[in-house]
């Protein structure tokens, strides 16, 4: 179990840390061991993935899987696949041809620590590893369930997901963009993988359609709130807390929720979205207590 319903609001950080430790244990086992002439690749993959991230997306997968009594081993494999896909996107997002960042998760970005070609290859290797893990029978005995997970992850990562969102992101740098464009960009770039993370638990548990739709709606609102807070942290946060450079959006003249709405309205909007996310969990009653705490964590977080 991630957290008992009785855990107070302050318990969310501890519950997330405990789940993150479990996720990291599985990541350690499933990432390739550095050996042979290609050992540099495995070292680079481990450097990027095992760095101290929040593990927010895999924690979401574990929490939704718990709603449907999915065996922990299955849920952890999918959770790890989600984190690998996320880590790949961060490695590529940081490259000089993208955001050109020097710090991530409190340490030099992968291309700074190693080199650009190694960072490209490590990112390239992380995404197929995610699919390889899902495709393995240990993830779920039913091949149709595994196939559905693979299709959904492909959609979340591809042109109708993260990569599509990244394309819009690059196009709106130094250009005015309206709230509709920014919302679409964030739904693809950030929202799609968060939606996959939430729905994956329901797919593993062969949940009824109503439950899946509720989780999709929760994830949609949560993903947008998460991104707005990410934009706010770029303005109000510190490099120490976030582990990455701050103030870069304004420096680039980038259209973000904060640039368009201002800090106060952006915060109000994030809180409203988190409240909306909670409303979608009503059908799960007390069983969704931890998912509710995660929604509150999203708007209260400082990193
Ligand atoms: C496919 C070439 C190519 C690039 C992919 C999609 C993409 C580029 C990058 C998206 C990565 C990114 C910066 C998304 C914004 C979402 C976001 C807030 C990321 C940071 O997530 P956290 O805060 O990070 O969960 P940690 O380090 O805690 O995991």
């Amino acid at each position: 179990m991630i957290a008992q319903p009785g855990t107070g609001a302050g318990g969310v950080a501890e519950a997330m840390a405990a789940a993150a430790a479990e996720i990291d244990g599985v990541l350690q086992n499933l990432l390739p061991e550095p050996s042979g002439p290609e050992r540099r690749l495995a070292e680079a993959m481990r450097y990027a993935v095992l760095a101290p991230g929040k593990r927010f997306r895999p924690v979401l997968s574990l929490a939704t899987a718990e709603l449907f009594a999915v065996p922990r081993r299955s849920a952890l494999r999918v959770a790890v696949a989600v984190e690998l896909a996320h880590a790949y996107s961060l490695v590529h997002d940081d490259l000089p041809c993208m955001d050109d960042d020097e710090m991530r998760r409190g340490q030099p970005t992968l291309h700074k620590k190693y080199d650009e070609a190694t960072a490209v290859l490590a990112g390239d290797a992380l995404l197929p590893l995610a699919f390889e893990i899902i495709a393995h029978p240990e993830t779920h005995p039913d091949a149709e369930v595994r196939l559905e997970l693979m299709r959904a992850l492909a959609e979340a990562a591809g042109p109708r997901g993260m990569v599509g969102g990244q394309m819009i992101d690059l196009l709106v740098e130094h250009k005015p963009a309206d709230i509709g464009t920014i919302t679409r960009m964030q739904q693809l770039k950030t929202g799609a993988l968060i939606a996959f993370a939430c729905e994956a638990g329901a797919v593993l548990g062969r949940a009824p359609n109503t439950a899946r739709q509720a989780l999709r709606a929760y994830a949609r609102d949560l993903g947008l709130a998460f991104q707005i807070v990410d934009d706010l942290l770029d303005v109000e946060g510190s490099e120490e807390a976030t582990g990455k450079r701050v103030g870069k959006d304004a420096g680039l003249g980038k259209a973000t929720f904060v640039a368009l709405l201002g800090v106060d309205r952006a915060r109000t909007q994030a809180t409203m979205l988190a409240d909306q996310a909670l409303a979608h969990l009503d059908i799960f009653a007390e069983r969704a207590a931890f998912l509710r705490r995660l929604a509150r964590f999203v708007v209260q977080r400082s990193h």
Side-chain angles (χ1 to χ4, degrees):
M1 283 284 285
I2 286 183
Q4 295 300 326
T7 311
V12 73
E14 290 80 359
M16 280 183 77
E22 220 182 332
I23 290 156
D24 285 5
V26 181
L27 280 168
Q28 287 275 8
N29 284 337
L30 293 179
L31 279 162
E33 286 294 339
S35 70
E38 75 282 21
R39 60 176 297 131
R40 184 178 171 84
L41 179 65
E43 281 166 7
M45 291 164 77
R46 285 175 170 269
Y47 176 83
V49 175
L50 298 173
K54 289 181 288 301
R55 313 290 186 242
F56 175 62
R57 294 156 192 80
V59 167
L60 280 173
S61 296
L62 294 184
T64 59
E66 277 190 6
L67 289 176
F68 311 107
V70 172
R72 194 62 162 182
R73 198 174 64 158
S74 290
L76 275 165
R77 289 180 68 89
V78 173
V80 156
V82 171
E83 185 65 13
L84 292 174
H86 170 59
Y88 131 79
S89 80
L90 298 180
V91 168
H92 280 196
D93 189 57
D94 290 337
L95 286 169
C97 62
M98 301 271 177
D99 271 8
D100 195 10
D101 271 311
E102 298 190 352
M103 291 296 286
R104 168 75 65 186
R105 294 177 162 178
Q107 63 181 28
T109 47
L110 190 55
H111 65 275
K112 285 282 169 197
K113 175 79 179 175
Y114 287 78
D115 57 73
E116 215 174 311
T118 304
V120 170
L121 290 176
D124 285 347
L126 289 170
L127 189 61
L129 180 59
F131 285 99
E132 189 184 328
I133 290 167
I134 291 179
H136 197 284
E138 273 181 32
T139 298
H140 199 282
D142 185 339
E144 276 193 29
V145 168
R146 302 197 302 269
L147 190 62
E148 185 172 355
L149 287 168
M150 288 170 68
R151 189 207 55 73
L153 179 58
E155 191 174 322
R160 282 176 291 161
M162 288 198 298
V163 180
Q166 181 74 355
M167 187 76 254
I168 303 175
D169 195 335
L170 295 176
L171 294 172
V172 300
E173 257 176 38
H174 302 295
K175 271 200 211 134
D178 58 30
I179 195 88
T181 307
I182 299 304
T183 304
R184 172 147 179 83
M185 170 181 91
Q186 303 303 4
Q187 275 169 345
L188 298 183
K189 184 174 160 174
T190 312
L193 192 63
I194 288 180
F196 172 78
C198 287
E199 213 179 340
V203 176
L204 281 171
R206 292 195 181 97
N209 217 20
T210 45
R212 284 178 66 160
Q213 273 169 8
L215 287 175
R216 259 204 301 269
Y218 163 82
R220 188 191 54 226
D221 293 335
L222 189 73
L224 220 43
F226 187 88
Q227 183 59 52
I228 294 174
V229 173
D230 196 67
D231 292 350
L232 281 164
L233 288 174
D234 189 63
V235 175
E236 299 180 317
S238 67
E239 179 165 332
E240 201 185 8
T242 61
K244 58 187 180 182
R245 182 159 56 98
V246 291
K248 63 182 181 191
D249 293 341
L252 284 167
K254 207 163 165 177
T256 65
F257 286 111
V258 175
L260 290 172
L261 302 175
V263 165
D264 291 342
R265 276 181 65 204
R267 185 157 293 285
T268 306
Q269 188 69 22
T271 307
M272 211 178 75
L273 284 161
D275 288 343
Q276 233 168 259
L278 296 183
H280 296 298
L281 298 175
D282 287 352
I283 64 163
F284 303 113
E286 264 314 289
R287 287 189 299 138
F290 187 61
L291 286 172
R292 289 190 186 90
R293 289 197 188 94
L294 285 175
R296 290 190 202 101
F297 159 79
V298 158
V299 281
Q300 287 163 2
R301 70 196 175 99
S302 60
H303 63 293

